[in-house]
Amino acid sequence: MERETFGAWVVAIGTTLAALGNTPSLSLPSTLSKDLDVVGNVLQGTGSAFLADTEDAFTLNKLGNMIQATGNSTVVSGLLLPVEEQTRLTLLIKGNLLQALGSGTSLAEALSEEQTLLNLYIIYGDLLQMIGNSLQALAEGKELKGQNAQTLESIGNWIQAIGSYFSLYATQINHH
């Protein structure tokens, strides 16, 4: 398996685990839900860092993956550090916005490339991940204001996960 494909698989598995952990209709015990979210974000950050490392030249895509890995680390900090609820939500918001910025940075490179079917999958993947992370940050902002935004959080997680599979598919097409 190519290194890039491996990294894309790790990201996709991570986004799926985080989405499962943030799906209220599954009625998971809160500790399992949090554990899935933590492991999912650790895998996403690891996969993004791995993807950044597969590019020798400094590109917008490499930078985007580096920013995404930083965002995942920030989310994990918010999930694991013993901090006040307001600080926890602020870390989650900033982490998700960093992930969205990372996807947007990669998207900028994809939009400047020749428009092929492969590139369309890359664009859809980056765009969906950017939207998903933005929705998650919006949901956490609502929670910061005392509103229940669990459904919005879940939708954002699943949109991000779907985007990660578009990106994975593009990576697999590119290496066959």
Side-chain angles (χ1 to χ4, degrees):
M1 182 184 302
E2 294 282 333
R3 290 176 39 214
E4 189 176 358
T5 302
F6 176 77
W9 266 110
V10 172
V11 170
I13 291 167
T15 59
T16 303
L17 291 176
L20 288 169
N22 283 288
T23 303
S25 60
L26 293 179
S27 301
L28 299 173
S30 63
T31 54
L32 176 57
S33 186
K34 181 180 176 183
D35 289 347
L36 286 170
D37 204 6
V38 169
V39 171
N41 273 282
V42 167
L43 287 173
Q44 289 173 58
T46 302
S48 292
F50 200 85
L51 287 167
D53 192 51
T54 64
E55 294 192 46
D56 294 329
F58 191 79
T59 64
L60 285 176
N61 191 52
K62 181 180 184 92
L63 178 61
N65 279 308
M66 293 166 68
I67 294 169
Q68 282 181 316
T70 304
N72 287 112
S73 297
T74 306
V75 168
V76 170
S77 297
L79 293 170
L80 293 180
L81 290 176
V83 294
E84 299 286 328
E85 181 67 3
Q86 183 173 352
T87 303
R88 181 186 77 81
L89 288 169
T90 301
L91 284 167
L92 296 178
I93 291 166
K94 290 180 179 183
N96 277 302
L97 288 175
L98 281 168
Q99 288 178 67
L101 176 63
S103 294
T105 304
S106 293
L107 177 62
E109 180 171 312
L111 288 171
S112 71
E113 304 274 324
E114 180 186 347
Q115 299 306 304
T116 63
L117 182 59
L118 170 65
N119 199 42
L120 194 59
Y121 283 114
I122 294 169
I123 290 168
Y124 283 157
D126 289 338
L127 184 60
L128 287 170
Q129 289 182 73
M130 187 174 72
I131 291 168
N133 284 119
S134 297
L135 289 174
Q136 290 170 63
L138 182 62
E140 289 139 3
K142 286 180 171 282
E143 287 178 29
L144 195 57
K145 295 177 183 173
Q147 302 169 13
N148 183 337
Q150 220 174 13
T151 302
L152 183 60
E153 175 84 23
S154 181
I155 290 168
N157 270 276
W158 283 108
I159 289 172
Q160 180 189 7
I162 292 166
S164 75
Y165 283 95
F166 271 95
S167 298
L168 170 62
Y169 185 67
T171 301
Q172 289 186 309
I173 289 173
N174 198 30
H175 288 95
H176 279 106

